[in-house]
């Protein structure tokens, strides 16, 4: 029998033809891809020459770090910066407290660190926003880069307040407004509302003039009183009888309103989530629209039901200093009650802490369209410093009195458009 040798040759195999060529091609492909990636990153990065050197694109609601371009949180939302912290879960609107009665400005409950003016400074604040706030002349000798109570920043105007608007000819609305307030006092809300609308339509009355503001204030109070009364204004409200399968969420979506607004106009407790079959509801449908006028320091709420936009309410506001509030189009993306403040440094300042400057409610704004720069972190919120309303002291967000922003929170649903203009 033949002997078979099963041993294998230990000599190395000859190199496969073309192996080094394939390796070289892979290396070249890797270098080309890396170069293209680096070029894209360089092209997409913002150009330092086009970036503002003083005004950051995103405000910081802490009054202490004007150079930082990251918003204080919910940016002013619950003060949380979106790129650093996950926003807390939405608050159930059904657990909210009662809507404020008349739109009375609550007394200030403290000042945020580094915000506001010295309590001893001579300041003339007019609720209607008709007068500018003047910082004492002696405080202008050394304007500061960092906020300091009673002192301006470099670049702040000496007179900070709404632009004054005069009527082209003298207008006297005193008798009409007095009649309207008497009707409001006697709970004749629709008649008071008609008196306010008639006053606003007076020939020669300039929008945002002191007389216009007084008539708009009466209009706001009459509309809110009518909303709370449970009465239906013809053409602007609907009667609805609850059917099988209805719930508050479905009705709010159907009529473009909020659960709280349905409960308020139907005189139901806000904590009550039971919707009895056959119950009659009074609903003031949307859609709604918000217009913020920075120069006038006003937020105007419009109701677009049944057609067109009618002025529904007007509120005083504060804006960002050094032009930090952008003029752009937004929508309300999130609504928060009792917001915490997530600072850019990573601190969490709970609601109620004197350092939390966001007030009681926060309406987060998301930009629409294609803005020419990032517009993240802006919002509409309350404040711990009522004196800052009608002034430019925030780092970009819209400030309101807590009672006013609560009213807005109750009425307007998410996705409501917000237009900010000069």
């Amino acid at each position: 029998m033949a002997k078979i040798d099963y041993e294998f040759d230990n000599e190395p195999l000859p190199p496969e033809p073309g192996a080094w060529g394939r390796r070289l091609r892979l290396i070249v492909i890797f270098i080309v891809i890396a170069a293209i990636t680096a070029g894209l990153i360089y092209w997409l990065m913002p150009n330092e020459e086009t970036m503002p050197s003083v005004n950051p694109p995103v405000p910081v609601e802490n009054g202490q770090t004007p150079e930082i371009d990251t918003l204080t949180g919910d940016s002013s939302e619950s003060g949380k910066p979106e790129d650093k912290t996950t926003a807390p879960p939405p608050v159930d609107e059904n657990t909210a407290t009662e809507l404020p009665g008349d739109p009375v400005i609550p007394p200030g409950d403290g000042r945020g660190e580094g915000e506001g003016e010295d309590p001893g400074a001579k300041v003339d604040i007019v609720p209607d926003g008709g007068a500018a706030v003047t910082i004492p002349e002696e405080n202008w000798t050394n304007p500061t880069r960092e906020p300091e109570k009673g002192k301006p920043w470099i670049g702040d105007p000496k007179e900070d307040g709404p632009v004054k608007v005069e009527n082209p000819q003298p207008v006297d609305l005193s008798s009409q407004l007095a009649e309207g307030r008497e009707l409001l006092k006697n709970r004749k809300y629709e008649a008071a509302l008609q008196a306010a609308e008639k006053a606003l339509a007076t020939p020669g009355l300039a929008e945002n003039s002191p007389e216009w503001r007084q008539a708009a204030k009466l209009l706001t109070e009459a509309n809110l009183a009518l909303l709370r009364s449970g009465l239906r204004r013809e053409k602007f409200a609907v009667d609805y009888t609850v059917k099988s399968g209805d719930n508050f969420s479905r009705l709010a979506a159907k009529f473009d309103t909020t659960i709280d607004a349905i409960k308020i106009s139907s005189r139901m407790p806000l904590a009550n989530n039971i919707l009895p079959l056959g119950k009659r509801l009074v609903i003031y449908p949307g859609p709604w629209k918000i217009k913020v006028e920075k120069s006038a320091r006003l937020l105007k709420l419009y109701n677009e039901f049944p057609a067109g936009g009618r002025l529904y309410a007007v509120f005083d506001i504060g804006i960002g200093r050094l032009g930090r509030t952008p003029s752009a189009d937004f929508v309300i993306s999130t609504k928060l009650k009792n917001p915490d403040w997530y600072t850019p440094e990573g601190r969490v300042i709970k609601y109620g802490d004197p350092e939390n400057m966001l007030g009681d409610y926060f309406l987060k704004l998301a930009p629409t369209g294609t803005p020419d720069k990032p517009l993240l972190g802006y919002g509409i919120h309350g404040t711990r410093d009522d004196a800052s309303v009608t002034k430019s002291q925030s780092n970009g967000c819209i400030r309101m009195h807590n009672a006013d922003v609560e009213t807005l929170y109750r009425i307007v649903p998410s996705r409501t458009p917000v237009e900010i203009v000069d």
Side-chain angles (χ1 to χ4, degrees), residues 116-379:
E117 297 193 20
D118 185 4
K122 296 180 180 180
V123 178
D124 184 17
I125 301 291
V126 178
D128 289 338
V133 178
T134 304
I135 298 177
E137 187 67 28
E138 59 270 18
N139 288 346
W140 277 94
T141 55
N142 295 307
T144 61
R145 289 189 177 275
E146 298 294 329
E148 189 174 339
K149 288 185 178 181
K151 291 187 177 182
W153 283 6
I154 293 176
D156 279 349
K158 287 192 175 184
E159 288 193 359
D160 189 5
V163 172
K164 296 180 179 179
V165 177
E166 300 294 339
N167 296 311
Q169 59 189 27
V171 175
D172 183 10
L173 301 179
S174 56
S175 60
Q176 296 182 55
L177 296 180
E179 178 185 356
R181 295 207 167 276
E182 187 65 24
L183 291 169
L184 187 63
K185 181 180 178 182
N186 294 326
R187 300 184 179 181
K188 297 180 179 180
Y189 304 129
E190 188 165 355
L193 185 55
Q194 292 172 351
E197 291 172 338
K198 182 179 179 181
L200 288 170
T202 300
L205 180 65
E207 187 171 357
N208 301 335
S209 66
E211 294 79 9
W212 185 94
R213 290 171 183 264
Q214 293 175 15
K217 184 177 181 181
L218 175 62
L219 177 87
T220 301
E221 294 176 359
N223 266 320
L224 296 181
L226 186 62
L227 178 71
R228 296 187 299 267
S229 69
L231 301 175
R232 182 176 69 90
R233 188 184 186 191
E234 193 69 28
K235 297 182 181 180
F236 299 106
V238 297
D239 283 320
Y240 185 84
T241 303
V242 177
K243 302 177 179 62
S244 177
D246 284 339
N247 59 48
F248 283 113
S249 296
R250 290 180 181 177
L251 293 179
K254 177 179 179 179
F255 290 101
D256 210 351
T257 183
T258 66
I259 294 174
D260 280 358
I262 293 175
K263 293 179 178 179
I264 292 166
S265 59
S266 301
R267 300 184 64 83
M268 298 177 65
L270 293 178
N272 178 22
N273 294 321
I274 299 175
L275 191 58
L277 189 65
K279 180 175 176 58
R280 172 186 170 272
L281 303 176
V282 175
I283 302 177
Y284 283 83
W288 300 87
K289 180 182 177 181
I290 293 172
K291 184 178 182 181
V292 174
E293 298 182 8
K294 294 187 290 184
S295 60
R297 304 290 200 273
L298 292 177
L299 183 150
K300 299 176 180 179
L301 176 63
Y302 293 88
N303 179 249
E304 298 188 330
F305 178 85
R310 65 183 180 99
L311 186 64
Y312 187 86
V314 178
F315 304 103
D316 291 330
I317 60 166
I319 62 173
R321 70 197 322 155
L322 303 178
R324 292 182 179 179
T325 300
S327 297
D329 294 330
F330 298 85
V331 294
I332 296 175
S333 62
T334 306
K335 298 167 60 179
L336 294 175
K337 179 184 177 184
N338 299 344
D340 298 332
W341 176 25
Y342 288 65
T343 71
E345 297 79 17
R347 295 174 59 202
V348 180
I349 302 179
K350 293 294 184 181
Y351 169 78
D353 189 304
E355 292 188 41
N356 186 323
M357 303 178 185
L358 302 181
D360 298 334
Y361 297 89
F362 182 85
L363 308 179
K364 181 180 176 182
L365 300 180
T368 61
T370 55
D372 56 358
K373 63 179 180 178
L375 296 176
L376 302 177
Y378 293 94

Side-chain angles (χ1 to χ4, degrees), residues 46 51-62 64-73 75 81-84 324 343-345 373-378 395:
M51 295 179 64
S53 58
V54 177
N55 303 335
V58 182
V60 181
E61 278 299 303
N62 59 6
Q64 295 182 348
T65 55
E67 291 82 7
I68 297 176
D69 62 353
T70 306
L71 181 62
T72 84
S75 197
E82 286 188 7
D83 56 342
K84 295 191 178 182
R324 292 182 179 179
T343 71
E345 297 79 17
K373 63 179 180 178
L375 296 176
L376 302 177
Y378 293 94
N395 281 285

Side-chain angles (χ1 to χ4, degrees), residues 5-16:
D5 185 4
Y6 289 97
E7 293 183 1
F8 292 95
D9 190 358
N10 291 327
E11 294 183 2
L13 295 173
E16 183 180 354

